[in-house]
Amino acid sequence: MQVKKAVIPAAGMGTRFLPATKVQPKEMLPIVDVPTIQYVVEEAVRAGITEILIITGRSKRAIEDHFDKSVELEALLEQKGKNKELAEMQRISNLADIFYVRQKEALGLGHAVACARNFVGREPFAVLLGDDIVHAEIPVIGQLIDIYNKKSATVLGCQRVGFDNIQKYGAVDAEDFSEPVVQVRSLTEKPNPAEAKSDLAVLGRYVIDPEIFDILNVTPPGAGGEIQLTDALNLLARQQSVWAYSFEGRRYDVGDRLGYIEATIEYALRREDLAPQLKTFLKSLTF
Ligand code: UTP
């Protein structure tokens, strides 16, 4: 079945980025001049997704406003003859059919995904975390959809993160790690590095079969007292095949301060209008 729908959870509290995220959604933090979540929506659109559900919460209204038409701003830009900016604002408000549902309490990523049940129905669906961006030639979620189409089973976007970092992620256990696509034996959320079965981590991109919703309904709180998507996927892997795919691309966790700074610098260095001056500035720094 074709993957046409994507879910973008963006209701988390962003406690790693306080005080910036006290009133502002972390998904709206700009990487250069584009809000993080816009990169995520554009990745989904580039992969052929036509309907997107963003899971929001209180204090996240800026996300909805960003993808809406801004009548006053467009009138002002038109009046000032700023045609390039006007065209860009119109493009953003027409990117895709975007729907919203509120997660009433931030009870965890699994709980956020469960809020998408009515939107998804009985189809496979993509999940892209709203604070994770990936720079890649082929959109990562498109890479996962290709694998889904070959396997007809859930696919998790993964990369090796090193055993020093694995306790921040969901870790994969598999029979054999030699191929880019491996069958998942089990998953552990935030494992102790000494006990982790591998340093292959699930990193913010998924294509999931709809059977996950019945499992999420009965998934108890796990690591950090939150309902974890990883725990539900671990149960799914016992019922049907689940694949871990090592995707191609450079991934940034914008919800983490260092990840945010790295993303800002590298995205600016990829921009012709900024790179020359930024390089000069960076070279002038002495440590
Ligand atoms: P994170 O774990 O990075 O988000 O979740 P968080 O809970 O906001 O982070 P910190 O630790 O407090 O800084 C990954 C994604 O899942 C969403 C977040 O918005 C983020 O995009 N999320 C997380 C939800 O939508 N609901 C939740 O209950 C938790």
Side-chain angles (χ1 to χ4, degrees):
M1 202 185 275
Q2 212 188 329
V3 181
K4 300 188 300 275
K5 294 179 179 175
V7 175
I8 304 182
M13 300 300 281
T15 54
R16 286 171 294 156
F17 222 114
L18 285 168
T21 49
K22 186 176 171 195
V23 292
Q24 173 187 213
K26 69 172 162 179
E27 296 79 8
M28 287 300 292
L29 291 171
I31 301 303
V32 187
D33 49 11
V34 175
T36 300
I37 195 161
Q38 187 183 321
Y39 290 101
V40 178
V41 167
E42 294 201 60
E43 178 187 327
V45 171
R46 279 171 61 211
I49 297 284
T50 51
E51 291 172 58
I52 296 174
L53 177 73
I54 301 183
I55 314 289
T56 67
R58 281 184 302 284
S59 81
K60 300 274 184 173
R61 290 189 64 163
I63 296 176
E64 249 176 277
D65 291 344
H66 181 71
F67 293 106
D68 195 5
K69 184 178 171 77
S70 174
V71 178
E72 298 80 6
L73 178 62
E74 288 187 19
L76 186 84
L77 292 172
E78 195 165 3
Q79 194 191 328
K80 290 188 180 282
K82 296 201 166 193
N83 296 332
K84 198 171 140 235
E85 289 80 358
L86 175 62
E88 182 60 7
M89 293 310 105
Q90 290 170 337
R91 188 185 72 82
I92 293 167
S93 55
N94 290 313
L95 273 172
D97 276 339
I98 305 185
F99 304 84
Y100 300 88
V101 66
R102 277 194 177 197
Q103 184 189 16
K104 293 190 178 69
E105 267 184 274
L107 297 178
L109 178 59
H111 183 260
V113 170
C115 297
R117 185 173 200 151
N118 288 340
F119 167 81
V120 168
R122 303 297 305 157
E123 300 171 32
F125 63 106
V127 175
L128 302 89
L129 297 193
D131 63 347
D132 255 37
I133 55 175
V134 188
H135 180 80
E137 206 133 301
I138 302 171
V140 171
I141 203 66
Q143 297 177 32
L144 266 71
I145 291 171
D146 278 351
I147 308 288
Y148 182 89
N149 290 339
K150 287 184 191 127
K151 300 283 188 192
S152 293
T154 296
V155 184
L156 316 177
C158 298
Q159 278 186 344
R160 291 192 179 273
V161 295
F163 280 92
D164 293 351
N165 289 312
I166 194 68
Q167 78 279 4
K168 292 191 261 174
Y169 303 98
V172 174
D173 184 19
E175 187 100 7
D176 168 24
F177 288 94
S178 59
E179 298 292 324
V181 183
V182 298
Q183 184 160 1
V184 173
R185 195 150 55 180
S186 69
L187 295 162
T188 314
E189 182 63 25
K190 299 190 172 53
N192 182 328
E195 287 160 19
K197 304 283 189 217
S198 81
D199 65 341
L200 190 65
V202 184
L203 296 178
R205 296 293 184 272
Y206 316 72
V207 176
I208 308 179
D209 272 322
E211 287 76 22
I212 196 74
F213 290 112
D214 284 342
I215 298 177
L216 282 168
N217 271 352
V218 294
T219 302
E226 297 189 344
I227 297 172
Q228 297 288 354
L229 180 60
T230 307
D231 293 345
L233 289 166
N234 183 46
L235 289 176
L236 186 70
R238 288 189 203 161
Q239 295 176 6
Q240 48 181 252
S241 52
V242 170
W243 300 89
Y245 164 62
S246 296
F247 63 78
E248 282 166 29
R250 170 100 167 92
R251 174 253 179 194
Y252 308 86
D253 177 4
V254 174
D256 171 76
R257 279 172 289 212
L258 192 60
Y260 172 78
I261 295 165
E262 286 170 2
T264 302
I265 293 173
E266 291 195 17
Y267 273 74
L269 287 172
R270 292 186 192 110
R271 289 255 303 244
E272 280 173 18
D273 56 335
L274 297 169
Q277 279 169 289
L278 180 59
K279 279 184 194 161
T280 309
F281 168 71
L282 290 173
K283 279 185 200 149
S284 76
L285 297 176
T286 44
F287 301 99

